[in-house]
Amino acid sequence: MSTHIGFFNELEIISDLRNNRFVYRQQGSMGDFIESQVKVDGHHSLTWVDGKYYAVNTDGHKVIEFSDLTETGTNAPNYKGIDLRRPHDIVYNSADGYIYTIDDNEGLTRFDPNNDNIAEKSKINKSKVPVLGYARSLSVVNGIVYIINSSRGEVIQMDDFDNWTIYESPGQKRNNKGQKIDSPAGAWDKTGLVLNDVERYGDYWYGSNYFTEPYAEGHDTNKYRLIRWRTWEDFQDGNWEDFSHLLPPGVVPYYFTVHNGALYLATFHHVHPGTNDKIYKLYPK
C-alpha cells in the first residue's frame, strides 16, 4: 500500500504502509527495491534534512528519526511531552528551516531540526471555532505551508504559524445547522471533495481524493478522484479539470511528489489491498 515516494539523499524511498516498511533504491536505478530496517507501524511519509531522516510513524503515534535506512530508528526527542495521535505527514520548509507535522490531536506542529527544542504547537489547533477536520497531509509550495484539511474538502494556507487563509471547495455536505460534515472518505456526489493531498506542478494545482466504495453508498467513486485547477478562485468555484481517467477504476490516489520536472503520485486500492500499489509518473500538459 504505497502512500508516498520521497527523493532524498540520492535515493528513491517508498512508504509501504500495508507492509509496515520503507523500500528504497538509488535514484534513477531500474533495479529491485531494498527493504529498510526502520521499524514502523502504519507510517505514511518521511523527509530528510542535513543527514537525518524524519518519518511519521502513524499507528505508533510518534515521529521517528534515523540517519540510515539500515537502522531501526528512534523517537524524535522534539516531541517529548506532546501527545501526537496518528501523525499523517511530515515536510521540511527550507524557507524557514522548520519541519512541520500534522496529526489528529495536536494539529499543526513544527520544530527546528538544528536544535533540541520541543516542537511548537500552532494556535490553529486551539482556535475558538474549530478549524481543522481530519487533515491528512501538508505541502510546501514556494516557501508557504499548506494544510490539506481532507474531511472538509479545504486547503488552509499558513500566512504565518498562527494565522491562515482557508480555501473552501463547493459541494461539501452539511448538517441541518449548516456545519460541514467531516467525512474520512466518500464519493463526490455523497461527500464532496475528501482531499488526500494537494500539490503545485507547472501552471496548476493538483488534488487527489479518497473516494472508495465502502464510503460511497453506491455513488461513483471515480469522478473527481484526480483534479487540477489554476487559481484558488477556480478551486472555490469548482472550476477544475477531472483527470481521473488516468487511473484504473477503484484506485485511490494519495500523496504527490514533484521531482526533476515530473509529478509522481502514490496509489493503492482500498477494497483490494495489494492489487494496485503503484507509483505513477505523470506528465500532464
Side-chain angles (χ1 to χ4, degrees):
M1 188 172 179
S2 55
T3 54
H4 176 259
I5 184 169
F7 297 88
F8 305 117
N9 195 25
E10 303 301 320
L11 299 174
E12 302 173 2
I13 308 170
I14 295 175
S15 298
D16 180 5
L17 181 152
R18 184 167 178 258
N19 293 303
N20 292 315
R21 64 182 183 174
F22 294 107
V23 295
Y24 65 97
R25 67 184 182 185
Q26 290 294 315
Q27 288 188 27
S29 169
M30 297 301 292
D32 293 337
F33 281 89
I34 302 167
E35 184 172 350
S36 84
Q37 300 302 307
V38 180
K39 300 299 182 184
V40 284
D41 183 10
H43 62 305
H44 283 73
S45 67
L46 82 168
T47 193
W48 184 78
V49 185
D50 295 334
K52 188 175 290 186
Y53 296 96
Y54 299 88
V56 280
N57 191 21
T58 307
D59 289 343
H61 309 290
K62 300 289 184 182
V63 171
I64 61 173
E65 62 181 35
F66 44 96
S67 299
D68 193 277
L69 288 155
T70 61
E71 301 175 3
T72 58
T74 59
N75 293 336
N78 309 79
Y79 287 88
K80 183 179 180 181
I82 292 180
D83 183 22
L84 295 177
R85 186 174 307 138
R86 302 198 78 247
H88 252 75
D89 200 11
I90 187 165
V91 296
Y92 174 61
N93 185 5
S94 60
D96 61 18
Y98 283 97
I99 288 176
Y100 290 81
T101 58
I102 191 76
D103 82 300
D104 294 344
N105 187 45
E106 305 293 2
L108 183 69
T109 57
R110 71 177 183 183
F111 68 91
D112 181 350
N114 292 314
N115 64 48
D116 294 328
N117 291 342
I118 297 299
E120 305 172 76
K121 296 182 282 188
S122 172
K123 291 180 181 177
I124 194 172
N125 314 324
K126 304 298 180 183
S127 56
K128 293 181 180 179
V129 178
V131 175
L132 293 177
Y134 180 19
R136 276 201 178 95
S137 63
L138 300 168
S139 292
V140 178
V141 178
N142 297 326
I144 298 174
V145 175
Y146 294 85
I147 300 173
I148 316 310
N149 205 16
S150 308
S151 63
R152 298 183 187 180
E154 301 173 341
V155 179
I156 301 174
Q157 174 184 301
M158 299 305 303
D159 301 317
D160 60 50
F161 193 50
D162 293 318
N163 295 281
W164 52 89
T165 299
I166 299 175
Y167 300 114
E168 298 186 358
S169 65
Q172 300 309 114
K173 305 309 177 187
R174 299 174 183 267
N175 61 23
N176 56 15
K177 295 181 180 180
Q179 300 164 331
K180 287 188 178 180
I181 299 172
D182 283 322
S183 304
W188 163 250
D189 292 320
K190 178 180 183 292
T191 59
L193 300 186
V194 183
L195 294 163
N196 288 321
D197 196 14
V198 167
E199 185 58 82
R200 181 79 179 182
Y201 176 72
D203 295 329
Y204 292 90
W205 293 91
Y206 288 78
S208 60
N209 286 279
Y210 209 129
F211 293 161
T212 187
E213 292 175 6
Y215 292 85
E217 295 183 354
H219 294 283
D220 182 3
T221 60
N222 296 311
K223 181 181 180 182
Y224 293 148
R225 283 180 300 167
L226 183 61
I227 59 176
R228 76 175 184 181
W229 60 93
R230 286 187 178 273
T231 68
W232 288 115
E233 182 178 5
D234 287 338
F235 176 76
Q236 295 184 106
D237 290 343
N239 294 328
W240 50 62
E241 298 178 66
D242 190 357
F243 278 78
S244 302
H245 63 278
L246 296 178
L247 301 175
V251 167
V252 176
Y254 212 68
Y255 287 172
F256 295 104
T257 302
V258 176
H259 178 71
N260 279 356
L263 180 66
Y264 293 81
L265 177 62
T267 69
F268 57 85
H269 203 297
H270 179 104
V271 179
H272 304 291
T275 61
N276 207 99
D277 295 352
K278 295 182 179 180
I279 304 293
Y280 286 89
K281 188 176 183 180
L282 308 176
Y283 295 96
K285 297 181 179 180

